[in-house]
Amino acid sequence: MPNLLQGKCALILGVANKWSLAYAIGEAFRREGASLVLTYQGERQRDAVETCAAELGASRLLACDVSKDHELEQLSEALKAAPGRLDAVVHSIAFANREELGNSFLETSRAGYLMAQEISAYSLVAVARAVAPLMGGGGSITTLTYIGSVRVIQNYNVMGVAKAALESAVRYLANDLGPRGIRVNAISAGPIKTASARAIKDFSSILDIVATRAPLRHNTEPGEVGDAALFLASDLGRGVTGNVLYVDSGFHIMGF
Ligand code: NAD
Ligand code: IMJ
């Protein structure tokens, strides 16, 4: 079923390198004919994301640190100039201070809590507000979440609470933007070895547990997340909003 996004324009935030889930989503969108605009977090990431943008055939690369209101405003202005409208937006961004992911949740600092919430949850609200004016006639916004929002996952801690807020924000945004034909959804992906996961203690054993216990008996692949995001961004997902779609080999349905 080719060309699901022919003639459509997608903005993807969160490509850091070729292992990023956002990169796999970009590949799926491109395969189906979308033109892509990518953002990078800051100068330190610029070169690496420039390479990714070239590989993905992206038409534009723009700077956007989501913790900075003026960068979101600049992004919105740059997008109004070109391409002038958006059909799909992907928010694939999370951050917490490393020490908050190692200590017990009880030790979470006020600053660490607020940082995780700002970058990993509030940024979806800020991005949605910045892009909604470019989606006249409708569109789709998709974010990435993890099962640590609803279950206790060792070390996920402050990120789990931030993902719970993110998933709730998906529902409130879906309600606000639905009347304008803008759908808002989350994909809850199984664990995948990206830069954000590589440094996590015992990550390999988490991968082994999922591959052994999940109904489909394999680890989630980036391409599976890309194709789910494609469904949500395309007209095939036209009836779906406010949803958290698990793309995790079915792991989330299991007891013990
Ligand atoms: P990644 O490190 O490749 O992507 C994280 C991105 O967040 C990076 O591109 C980084 O630049 C960006 N970012 C962080 N702070 C930012 C800021 N202030 N402004 C702009 N960008 C900022 O890792 P990933 O695994 O691809 O993560 C993408 C999303 O997928 C995250 O929301 C993550 O929680 C989610 N997720 C990952 C997994 C996994 O196992 N890898 C599983 C489920 C959900
Ligand atoms: C992250 C921490 C603890 C357990 C984890 C993860 N598991 C998985 C992740 C089991 C799958 C990856 N994930 C879903 C994330 O959302 C990661 C977010 C993240 C990762 C880092 C590492 C480097 C850093 N800050 C981070 N902030 C957020 O300094």
Side-chain angles (χ1 to χ4, degrees):
M1 216 186 321
N3 296 333
L4 287 171
L5 296 181
Q6 197 62 51
K8 309 255 185 197
C9 188
L11 170 70
I12 302 182
L13 303 98
V15 174
N17 51 52
K18 66 177 179 206
W19 295 283
S20 295
L21 298 189
Y23 187 100
I25 293 169
E27 283 184 314
F29 282 17
R30 198 70 192 120
R31 186 186 80 223
E32 301 293 329
S35 74
L36 302 183
V37 179
L38 303 189
T39 65
Y40 61 96
Q41 184 185 347
E43 282 311 307
R44 248 180 338 124
Q45 286 80 17
R46 190 193 181 122
D47 283 357
V49 185
E50 221 157 39
T51 305
C52 294
E55 288 167 4
L56 290 169
S59 56
R60 288 199 83 181
L61 177 62
L62 299 166
C64 185
D65 181 331
V66 292
S67 66
K68 297 182 175 148
D69 282 335
H70 67 275
E71 292 203 13
L72 281 158
E73 276 161 32
Q74 282 167 6
L75 174 69
S76 179
E77 290 309 311
L79 291 167
K80 273 175 200 152
R85 75 157 274 112
L86 289 173
D87 302 284
V89 173
V90 175
H91 170 281
S92 185
I93 289 172
F95 184 77
N97 289 325
R98 176 174 290 282
E99 54 268 31
E100 311 284 358
L101 303 172
N103 302 332
S104 72
F105 178 66
L106 185 64
E107 302 305 324
T108 304
S109 69
R110 187 186 301 267
Y113 186 95
L114 292 173
M115 164 75 90
Q117 286 285 338
E118 177 177 21
I119 308 295
S120 314
Y122 178 74
S123 65
L124 180 71
V125 185
V127 166
R129 199 164 50 245
V131 299
L134 289 137
M135 293 183 146
S140 154
I141 300 174
T142 303
T143 188
L144 274 296
T145 187
Y146 182 58
I147 195 173
S149 61
V150 288
R151 309 274 174 79
V152 173
I153 305 284
Q154 206 72 29
N155 295 323
Y156 203 57
N157 297 350
V158 72
M159 271 308 307
V161 178
K163 290 299 194 189
L166 178 75
E167 291 172 21
S168 188
V170 162
R171 292 184 282 272
Y172 280 93
L173 290 170
N175 179 58
D176 281 353
L177 294 171
R180 294 195 235 170
I182 301 172
R183 298 180 291 105
V184 187
N185 293 287
I187 291 172
S188 187
I192 297 177
K193 226 169 203 169
T194 64
S196 286
R198 205 169 287 278
I200 306 309
K201 204 155 60 88
D202 298 330
F203 197 75
S204 296
S205 48
I206 290 166
L207 291 176
D208 289 345
I209 289 167
V210 172
T212 310
R213 296 196 200 153
L216 293 177
R217 301 284 193 276
H218 68 80
N219 280 120
T220 302
E221 289 161 15
E224 296 171 346
V225 176
D227 284 347
L230 170 67
F231 156 71
L232 289 172
S234 77
D235 203 44
L236 295 181
R238 64 193 176 282
V240 183
T241 195
N243 202 45
V244 178
L245 175 61
Y246 280 82
V247 180
D248 69 342
S249 297
F251 183 78
H252 69 284
I253 68 169
M254 300 306 289
F256 60 88

